Amino acid sequence: MLTLNKTAGVFKPSKRKVYEFLRSFNFHPGTLFLHKIVLGIETSCDDTAAAVVDETGNVLGEAIHSQTEVHLKTGGIIPPVAQQLHRENIQRIVQEALSASSISPSDLSAIATTIKPGLALSLGVGLSFSLQLVGQLKKPFIPIHHMEAHALTIRLTNKVEFPFLVLLISGGHCLLALVQGVSDFLLLGKSLDIAPGDMLDKVARRLSLIKHPECSTMSGGKAIEHLAKQGNRFHFDITPPLQRAKNCDFSFTGLQHLINKIIIQKEKEEGIEQGQILSSAADIAATVQHTTACHIVKRTHRAILFCKQRDLLPQNNAVLVASGGVASNFYIRRALEILTNATQCTLMCPPPRLCTDNGIMIA
Ligand code: KG4
Ligand code: ZN
């Protein structure tokens, strides 16, 4: 855009002449210089993220600051701590995303920011920073629903037509929805209590995985996935939650309590105190990961059948999109793949770095 303005300034040609000039270099207006460019800002939870994306989905620049390490040390997210860390980092992260994109702030077409759902204190930092920037640069503001952004991210990397089914599983969210268009969602099921990532984080904390040499910097869910590879998922016999519920809802609190009981019993058997690593930690990780996968797959299966019975999804090649931090788990992805193969559906997952919170999905 800057280049175009400069050229126009020197020769003062008509708009048509400029377009002809650009086309002679294979620069098609609307595909390169004339793209709308959006700055996306995300601060809904514990990641301060920003990205500059053009209207065809090219990521021109991005930056992220994760607070995971701090929250691991305090044993969970403390909202005022998250707020303070967002405040300390937002300016730098936005600047880094803009610098990486080589786009001058005045060339942005709009600024998009997560406004809900999330931690109020965290959301507030991104929102007030964005509104200040919007006022300064006189740019349009686009309010973004965090879950819609997660649900639509797949359209950056894959060609997906509406309608499709989306499964969003993260630390703060758990839902199944039919996506009929941008901003047109039919909610089919949600967690009745906590989200799967929250449950995995709690189990990882109870197992003190932060003290495990291989997992000390990983989020709870990632630590469970890592350790589960060395464990036996059948060592403990656990029935997935809501076996008889005839809907698409989820529940993870009961599973968390069952795992807690197993940990207490194992600590007694192994004669160790809470806070030390159990020798059976890998088996427990494998069990909780497997049970979580079974539960998620069963609820998703119900949603697929419901949609197909009512012709809300095509009978063949219906698409299931799985996103959110927990969807970056390869064991859970594999379980979902078995389900989609058996129901003539196609599973699509954004790459792991786009599954967790990021600025790209907001932009
Ligand atoms: O989407 P996200 O970055 O933030 C929220 O909106 O919550 O998801 C973070 C959650 C955390 O609970 C983390 O433990 C979980 O996703 N997570 C995983 C994995 N990586 C992150 N859970 C299971 N397996 C993983 N590999
Ligand atoms: Zn999220």
Side-chain angles (χ1 to χ4, degrees), residues 45-47 146 150 170-173 197-198 200-201 219-222 225 324-326 328-329 355-357:
C45 188
D46 59 346
D47 292 303
H146 184 83
H150 268 308
S170 71
H173 316 287
D198 191 9
L200 294 173
D201 290 342
S219 68
K222 196 159 176 50
E225 179 176 25
V326 178
S328 63
N329 180 296
C355 274
T356 49
D357 291 350

Side-chain angles (χ1 to χ4, degrees), residues 46 62 69 155 159 174 244 274 290 307 311 315:
D46 59 346
E62 68 164 312
E69 265 187 62
R155 285 160 57 86
K159 202 171 161 355
C174 179
R244 285 160 197 263
Q274 178 171 340
H290 179 69
C307 289
D311 279 332
Q315 296 302 321

Side-chain angles (χ1 to χ4, degrees), residues 8-308:
V10 173
F11 299 110
K12 293 225 172 14
S14 68
K15 222 173 185 180
R16 193 173 56 83
K17 284 254 163 66
V18 173
Y19 284 4
E20 275 170 15
F21 174 72
L22 291 174
R23 271 194 212 104
S24 71
F25 289 94
N26 258 343
F27 291 161
H28 296 283
T31 58
L32 187 62
F33 285 101
L34 301 179
H35 279 171
K36 289 196 178 112
I37 296 167
V38 176
L39 167 67
I41 298 177
E42 156 66 34
T43 63
S44 68
C45 188
D46 59 346
D47 292 303
T48 316
V52 180
V53 177
D54 75 14
E55 67 185 302
T56 60
N58 286 323
V59 180
L60 306 177
E62 68 164 312
I64 187 161
H65 173 263
S66 166
Q67 305 175 358
T68 303
E69 265 187 62
V70 174
H71 299 311
L72 276 174
K73 283 188 193 124
T74 54
I77 299 174
I78 300 170
V81 174
Q83 179 190 40
Q84 183 55 28
L85 290 170
H86 283 305
R87 279 187 181 142
E88 286 169 16
N89 290 290
I90 190 153
Q91 170 114 28
R92 174 179 63 84
I93 289 299
V94 169
Q95 190 53 56
E96 275 178 28
L98 281 167
S99 304
S101 72
S102 302
I103 296 292
S104 137
S106 60
D107 288 334
L108 291 170
S109 312
I111 295 169
T113 304
T114 310
I115 55 151
K116 65 177 182 185
L119 299 174
L121 292 179
S122 295
L123 286 165
V125 179
L127 187 58
S128 59
F129 183 88
S130 306
L131 293 181
Q132 212 179 330
L133 207 57
V134 160
Q136 219 174 304
L137 300 171
K138 308 258 177 304
K139 300 288 176 189
F141 176 68
I142 308 175
I144 300 292
H145 190 291
H146 184 83
M147 304 314 288
E148 289 186 3
H150 268 308
L152 298 172
T153 301
I154 193 72
R155 285 160 57 86
L156 266 181
T157 53
N158 298 61
K159 202 171 161 355
V160 189
E161 302 296 339
F162 298 116
F164 59 87
L165 189 64
V166 71
L167 167 72
L168 295 179
I169 39 178
S170 71
H173 316 287
C174 179
L175 61 84
L176 270 163
L178 183 70
V179 188
Q180 291 166 316
V182 176
S183 291
D184 184 2
F185 289 69
L186 175 67
L187 184 65
L188 300 171
K190 60 182 179 353
S191 176
L192 302 173
D193 37 61
I194 60 175
D198 191 9
M199 183 272 296
L200 294 173
D201 290 342
K202 285 179 166 134
V203 170
R205 265 204 304 281
R206 185 61 185 79
L207 285 170
S208 301
L209 297 189
I210 192 172
K211 292 187 189 157
H212 195 290
E214 292 165 27
C215 311
S216 61
T217 59
M218 293 178 187
S219 68
K222 196 159 176 50
I224 295 279
E225 179 176 25
H226 179 79
L227 216 57
K229 290 185 193 134
Q230 307 156 26
N232 175 2
R233 67 185 189 196
F234 299 117
H235 195 95
F236 305 99
D237 187 23
I238 292 191
T239 311
L242 299 182
Q243 288 282 74
R244 285 160 197 263
K246 297 211 180 310
N247 54 37
C248 303
D249 288 335
F250 301 81
S251 169
F252 293 96
T253 301
L255 175 57
Q256 187 209 328
H257 289 147
L258 275 176
I259 296 286
N260 238 356
K261 274 193 191 159
I262 290 175
I263 295 173
I264 291 168
Q265 193 191 328
K266 280 283 145 193
E267 280 170 350
K268 269 193 202 144
E269 279 173 30
E270 293 185 22
I272 66 165
E273 299 275 310
Q274 178 171 340
Q276 292 173 284
I277 308 260
L278 284 168
S279 69
S280 49
D283 291 338
I284 295 173
T287 304
V288 72
Q289 178 177 253
H290 179 69
T291 314
T292 302
C294 288
H295 180 45
I296 289 171
V297 163
K298 286 207 169 146
R299 312 319 286 170
T300 309
H301 190 192
R302 291 189 61 85
I304 291 174
L305 294 180
F306 174 88
C307 289
K308 286 200 176 185

